[in-house]
Amino acid sequence: MSQRTRIAVNGYGVIGKRVADTVRIQSDMELVGVSDVAADYRIKTAVTLGMPVYASDAQTAAGMRAAGIPVAGALEELLDMVDIVVDCTPSGVGAKNLDLYRKHGVKAIFQGGEKHELTGHSFVAHTNYATALGRDSTRVVSCNTTATVRTLTALKDAGLLARARGVLIRRATDPWESDHSGIMNTIVPESRIPSHQGPDAKTVDPQLDVITMAAKGSHTQNHMHYWTVQLTRTADREEVLEALRATPRIALVRKADGIVALNSTVELMRDLGRPRGDMYEVALWEDILTVEGLELFYTYTVDNQAVVIPENIDAIRALAGTTTDAIESTRRTDESLGIRQDFLSAPKRIDGASPETDRQ
């Protein structure tokens, strides 16, 4: 592989456009191009941003050219120029692409909409970065599973986790689809218990004792999780909070600061100048978290569009083998995105140093 890992993003939608943007700001990566089947404002935005656009097939290329989109080539041509492809196509489509990627000798990262069996490996950087090193493929788990693994392994690493039971209130649809998809004025329970997030979390860490229930709510921004955790031993609030603070990509928020609901975190991200208002962290309410004996109760919110973006970047380094240390990769990714442990204080590096240290 070249000194900079050459990347293709296949599927320039909700996740793909964010992955592409983030790849472009990594000093050790090069975005060679993006591929899609659409010919609307979304892919035209990629052209405006100076990204080479490739067509998934001949029919797609004709539609793009008719819409005035300069087509750099076909997806198969793009694959011949890269080391790794990040597949951000709709659920089920990625699985059909695996043979194509193998044909071109390209390593592949898939998203949580695909099944674990597709790659035999599911990824959350903090938990199992080392097991992804040098692999030909991995799967970055879904937004809700990513958040579940982050918080539960924080407790597990501190020796506090016995078992966990979670209730998830999921957003109805992605915001850009609000005009034609989703539900209104109701909450729809998922049809079975456990919901898929608990078993999915075990594909990352098989030792987790976790069961989840879920429902879909009539809103389009962010998910909400409520957790009841049985602790292994007696612990006070501060010990639990320290375990959470010690884990990357978990940020504590407080109702006392006026962050009282999902919309508060959305507005806060915009005020902080985050691209697209994205929140890469799990935002966990510090002043709601409660410990009663051996039981821990807490709640947090998850940005369904952004929380998996840093995991995709770390997955690239793991598959490429360019950074073998999980802490170093996480640090580099988090600094590039301005990820924080506390949104209302200066950002800190994962190793405790200030971000300015590397720039001196």
Side-chain angles (χ1 to χ4, degrees), residues 247-318:
T247 303
R249 300 167 186 166
I250 297 174
L252 300 181
V253 295
R254 293 161 292 276
K255 292 174 69 71
D257 289 327
I259 304 172
V260 298
L262 304 184
N263 59 294
S264 305
T265 61
V266 172
E267 188 71 8
L268 178 59
M269 295 306 105
R270 292 169 176 162
D271 289 345
L272 290 174
R274 287 285 181 87
R276 300 186 179 90
D278 285 346
M279 184 171 69
Y280 310 107
E281 305 88 342
V282 173
L284 188 148
W285 271 274
E286 177 180 353
D287 45 5
I288 295 178
L289 185 145
T290 300
V291 179
E292 293 283 351
L294 290 176
E295 287 188 304
L296 164 66
F297 307 89
Y298 60 88
T299 184
Y300 57 78
T301 181
V302 183
D303 184 341
N304 49 285
Q305 300 181 108
V307 75
V308 301
I309 303 307
E311 310 301 324
N312 274 274
I313 300 304
D314 290 327
I316 290 172
R317 291 198 183 98

Side-chain angles (χ1 to χ4, degrees), residues 172-184 219-221:
T173 189
D174 288 323
W176 82 273
E177 295 179 310
S178 299
D179 62 308
H180 63 272
S181 180
I183 60 175
M184 289 294 292
H219 63 280
T220 63
Q221 291 178 315

